[in-house]
Amino acid sequence: MYGRYTQDLGTFAKDEAARLRLQQGHGEGDTPRPRRPSELLEYTQGRCAPCRVCALQCQRFFISKVGEDWVFLILLGLVMALVSWAMDFAIATCLQAQKWMYGGLDTNVLLQYLAWVTYPTVLITFSAGFTQILAPQAVGSGIPEMKTILRGVVLKEYLTLKTFVAKVIGLTCALGSGMPLGKEGPFVHIASMCAALLSRFLSLFGGIYENEARNIEMLAAACAVGVGCCFAAPIGGVLFSIEVTSTFFAVRNYWRGFFAATFSAFIFRVLAVWNKDEETITALFKTRFRLDFPFDLQELPAFAVIGIASGFGGALFVYLNRKIVQFMRRQKTINRFLMKKRLLFPALVTLLISTLTFPPGFGQFMAGQLTQKDTLVTLFDNQTWAKQGLSDEFEYLGILEAWRHPRSNVFVTLVVFILMKFWMSALATTIPVPCGAFMPVFVIGAAFGRLVGESMAAWFPDGIHTDSNTYRIVPGGYAVVGAAALSGAVTHTVSTAVIVFELTGQISHILPVMIAVILANAVAQSLQPSLYDSIIRIKKLPYLPELGWGHHEKYNVRVEDIMVRDIRYVTLNCKYRDLQHVLHSTKMKSLPLVESAESMILLGSIERAQVGALLSHQLSPQRRLQALRQKVLAEDGHRLSDASICFQVRGVTAAGDVRPGCPPPPSPHHAPTGIALKSLFCANPATEPIEAQGTAYRKAKHVRLSIMEEMDLGDRMTPAEILEWEEQQLDQPVDFSSTKIDPAPFQLVEHTSLHKTHTIFSLLGLDHAYVTSIGRLVGMVSLKELRKAIEGSLIAKGVKVRPPLASFRDSTTSTGEPDTTALHQLWDRHQHHTMPREAGPAGDDDDDTPK
């Protein structure tokens, strides 16, 4: 039917277009010259008339093209590149100021310590206070919330200009303090806010930007831009954004993400060349590993060990971060104290970390004076720092001097660095400032890989290769593998391998990196959720967790095991009192509409706002006033029934023009007959307008009297009469004729598996679905029940608890017998219940077989 209808419509459109062209052809013979549009007339005069017309047409063409995707993506990439470069410049300036203060006070260690500790404490405190005052939604990474928003959940005040300003300034101060914090997660949030604000601005040119579905697509592209302009890694940025924000990704958004991320990364690196930071467009952390023989095959077990250890380390980092937050929330005394003194916790954490990283103090054992960028540059160095455990055989130059200690070797420094930075980063990411965790974890992974690489170089000083050629081990390659593995384990992503390739500019270690990242993900995903999913659980955001690996028993759990059976519904023949009871007894956003309480045939769903509007309209003061009017009108009509005369005052005629006839329905401009009649008889003669005062004054006089009369009628009813009238209205049947009803809400059958239910909810972005059996409403499944089922906690109020994982169902048995039993149950149910159906011919009454 739909195909034929579309074809007929297309044929009709062609015929109509041909007819219009034919009419225009005939019209040209009648009119000697077509007229230009009226807005072009002023441009057709003068010597430069053709240029003016062309300019106006070009302007219109540009405005029409602004609504296209590529213009939006170019603007988004340009703005984010400028923001990223400006923030990096400000952060570098802040870090350089700290080094200048520390170096200028080298004569006094106490003053050095005060400067080293006070500077980051002031910046972090300002960042926390500024963010808390302006927009508390800017706190944290931003990826968990974007993951929730892309699923269709609306988070208030999260993509506003105020939050954008708070995020940018707060993140700049936080990273400028030198704390172990990252910028990748916040940049995803910043890019999303930029896309939302840009959509609002461009909506002035075209209505396409007001489409909600299109905004979601642009937010998906913005997430890729945030990662791409942060690391100048467009390919890894797109893949990483897909992995961390989307369960199911629409391929039509693929080119948008690549286009915007590539343009943003290009502008970001061009600005670095323009500022003379780089000679040309290169990688951020360019490495110089040898290409002819980057690694020996016998080194692959060492890379695998890095991957497995990084998996355990990533799971431990997520666990430690979550436990710190839960400890701060569960300790009521500490929680109440910190809620009153919001700036005390970030100040204390910053003071502790700054004290431990003070270079003349404990920081000398962990390269405390290096920034995150300098640390990565040194860890990716392709020279070996130590041979056979001796630290004096390598000449440390420049920033590499930070890793040298006269009383210990490089292994002690790396171990202390890894252990201290591990818990420092887990603690620092809980500070209520805009911050991410990707870069600190990336640095820790690089240090761990460097430790393994230095150990391998010490154990095999001449390399492992057994042929005549000797190739020494490159510890920098191990650092690259460790950085990708640990960051992938914490975020549960594989695209960190691609990000590493784009960051270093070399792809020589592609095989070790992929092996380590896959093994790290396999270990981490079996132990802990990702860092972003952990934050979602801590903040209790409405998001659906993923199904774990090897959970084949999830296919055995059905919707009937987890659904809520006791749900509130609205029947087609209900009364307003039933609507009031339903609204008071449940907080569901949408209510199912069934045919009757006996049949329970699901007809659709009604939004809670619609039900509330029905009830409010039924009990509105306007209807109460209208009922009172009709009552007064009936009394007056009964009183004047002998005279059989109806009076009506018309504002459009002269005053006193009383015409007999039946009164029209009441309207805002005409007073009802009874009220107008009473106004005429009860008015004071002294205040009656005389005929010489004009028609306008007399019209205003009568309008004023009718309004006063309406107020008098409204005040006449006592509270008891109002209550009695409302009780009468509540007993009336509901009229659904003007209500918006969704005739096709999402439905599941009771035997749908948990795995299929999870797929449907994730793919369509549902928050609830009704469960039906042969069209009858039997229950409802929401995100809450589905989340509890996946997490293995089925004990809840209103949830039917069955044996864990429904192990009583044997998945290995043949499906023939259960299907036959289900068919018999269906037949018995059909015999005992009369199914409502449409009226048909008399001969169809004998055909009761379900089709």
Side-chain angles (χ1 to χ4, degrees), residues 108-356:
N108 192 328
V109 179
L110 181 60
L111 292 179
Q112 276 188 322
Y113 171 75
L114 291 177
W116 184 266
V117 170
T118 305
Y119 187 80
T121 304
V122 171
L123 284 178
I124 289 290
T125 306
F126 171 78
S127 176
F130 181 79
T131 306
Q132 189 66 35
I133 293 173
L134 188 59
Q137 295 83 4
V139 172
S141 170
I143 290 182
E145 288 81 3
M146 286 310 305
K147 195 171 184 178
T148 307
I149 290 175
L150 289 177
R151 200 190 173 279
V153 179
V154 178
L155 299 181
K156 295 181 180 179
E157 299 294 329
Y158 204 77
L159 298 177
T160 59
L161 179 62
K162 184 172 61 175
T163 310
F164 177 82
V165 174
K167 195 87 171 183
V168 171
I169 297 179
L171 181 62
T172 304
C173 295
L175 296 180
S177 65
M179 289 293 100
L181 303 172
K183 62 176 286 191
E184 184 179 31
F187 250 74
V188 172
H189 185 198
I190 290 174
S192 301
M193 288 186 289
C194 184
L197 296 173
L198 203 58
S199 295
R200 295 177 188 173
F201 171 72
L202 293 180
S203 62
L204 302 175
F205 298 95
I208 188 174
Y209 292 96
E210 299 176 359
N211 189 349
E212 181 180 358
R214 188 182 184 281
N215 289 337
I216 294 295
E217 294 178 356
M218 290 305 164
L219 287 180
C223 293
V225 173
V227 184
C229 69
C230 181
F231 292 143
I235 302 176
V238 173
L239 299 178
F240 184 83
S241 66
I242 293 174
E243 286 189 277
V244 299
T245 60
S246 304
T247 305
F248 291 91
F249 185 76
V251 182
R252 63 178 178 273
N253 298 331
Y254 210 49
W255 76 270
R256 295 186 177 97
F258 271 114
F259 181 81
T262 303
F263 186 80
S264 179
F266 172 74
I267 298 298
F268 176 66
R269 298 306 292 159
V270 165
L271 289 174
V273 177
W274 174 77
N275 197 40
K276 297 181 180 180
D277 297 333
E278 300 284 349
E279 296 181 358
T280 184
I281 297 179
T282 57
L284 279 180
F285 304 101
K286 188 174 180 58
T287 56
R288 296 176 178 83
F289 302 146
R290 60 173 182 260
L291 300 177
D292 53 346
F293 196 85
F295 61 91
D296 197 316
L297 288 179
Q298 300 181 32
E299 298 180 52
L300 290 180
F303 294 126
V305 169
I306 291 178
I308 296 174
S310 298
F312 285 104
L316 180 61
F317 183 88
V318 175
Y319 176 80
L320 182 60
N321 179 272
R322 184 171 65 253
K323 286 301 178 181
I324 292 175
V325 176
Q326 291 177 349
F327 174 79
M328 301 299 294
R329 291 189 176 187
R330 290 175 180 174
Q331 297 294 328
K332 296 183 178 179
T333 305
I334 300 178
N335 193 15
R336 284 197 301 266
F337 178 74
L338 294 179
M339 288 298 291
K340 296 179 181 178
K341 310 290 184 180
R342 294 180 180 272
L343 303 182
L344 184 61
F345 176 68
L348 291 177
V349 172
T350 308
L351 180 63
L352 174 63
I353 295 177
S354 301
T355 302
L356 292 176

Side-chain angles (χ1 to χ4, degrees), residues 358-380:
F358 183 53
F362 193 73
Q364 60 185 330
F365 297 100
M366 51 183 295
Q369 67 266 38
L370 294 182
T371 63
Q372 287 187 355
K373 185 175 181 179
D374 294 339
T375 304
L376 280 178
V377 170
T378 57
L379 291 175
F380 288 163

Side-chain angles (χ1 to χ4, degrees), residues 311-312 315 489 492 519-530 548-551:
F312 285 104
H492 287 192
L519 289 176
N521 270 273
V523 174
Q525 290 184 22
S526 62
L527 296 176
Q528 286 289 326
S530 69
W549 283 12
H551 291 178

Side-chain angles (χ1 to χ4, degrees), residues 25-37:
H26 289 305
E28 290 178 357
D30 300 335
T31 57
R33 184 177 181 180
R35 296 182 61 186
R36 289 181 179 270

Side-chain angles (χ1 to χ4, degrees), residues 676-697:
L677 182 64
K678 190 172 182 179
S679 302
L680 288 174
F681 283 111
C682 297
N684 189 357
T687 60
E688 284 292 328
I690 58 177
E691 190 173 354
Q693 290 178 338
T695 305
Y697 180 79

Side-chain angles (χ1 to χ4, degrees), residues 766-797:
L766 305 181
D767 56 357
H768 73 280
Y770 300 117
V771 183
T772 58
S773 175
I774 328 178
R776 303 173 185 272
L777 180 66
V778 295
M780 189 190 71
V781 174
S782 64
L783 281 176
K784 181 180 179 181
E785 287 77 36
L786 197 55
R787 188 186 305 118
K788 289 182 178 180
I790 294 174
E791 295 173 353
S793 174
L794 294 179
I795 303 176
K797 184 178 180 181

